Amino acid sequence: VNPTQEHPHSRSLHAGFATLIIFAASGEKAQELAGRHIADNYWEIAEMKRAKLLSENDIRQMPTDFKRLYKQAENIGIGALFDSW
């Protein structure tokens, strides 16, 4: 992801990664929600690296930070983590 001009730190940020876990009725709806959430946080998608449905095994093997995102998504429909530089 890249910061938009409206991002509060746009002058000091160059790029980033966005990791999202989304509960949605379809893959298409999940991508729509992801794009909207990213834009609402003043980022724009430069490239989508990966999108997949999570299996129970994926969830069990998630690192702790991703498990927190998953729990957030369970509660409000979307969990997001933005890493930037």
Side-chain angles (χ1 to χ4, degrees):
V1 293
N2 295 317
T4 63
Q5 290 182 358
E6 294 82 17
H7 193 289
H9 303 287
S10 64
R11 291 180 185 208
S12 61
L13 295 176
H14 302 287
F17 289 113
T19 303
L20 289 86
I21 297 176
I22 300 170
F23 281 69
S26 69
E28 183 178 293
K29 184 65 175 175
Q31 288 188 354
E32 177 187 325
L33 292 170
R36 188 175 314 137
H37 188 77
I38 289 168
D40 287 349
N41 284 275
Y42 306 106
W43 294 94
E44 59 186 8
I45 298 171
E47 179 182 359
M48 184 180 296
K49 296 280 188 180
R50 179 175 42 169
K52 68 178 261 182
L53 294 174
L54 296 174
S55 69
E56 288 183 29
N57 191 48
D58 291 329
I59 296 164
R60 275 193 302 274
Q61 294 181 357
M62 281 180 180
T64 303
D65 289 346
F66 287 178
K67 285 183 180 176
R68 280 190 214 115
L69 286 182
Y70 185 83
K71 288 293 184 190
Q72 183 182 18
E74 276 186 316
N75 290 328
I76 62 172
I78 190 165
L81 175 65
F82 294 91
D83 294 309
S84 56
W85 57 90

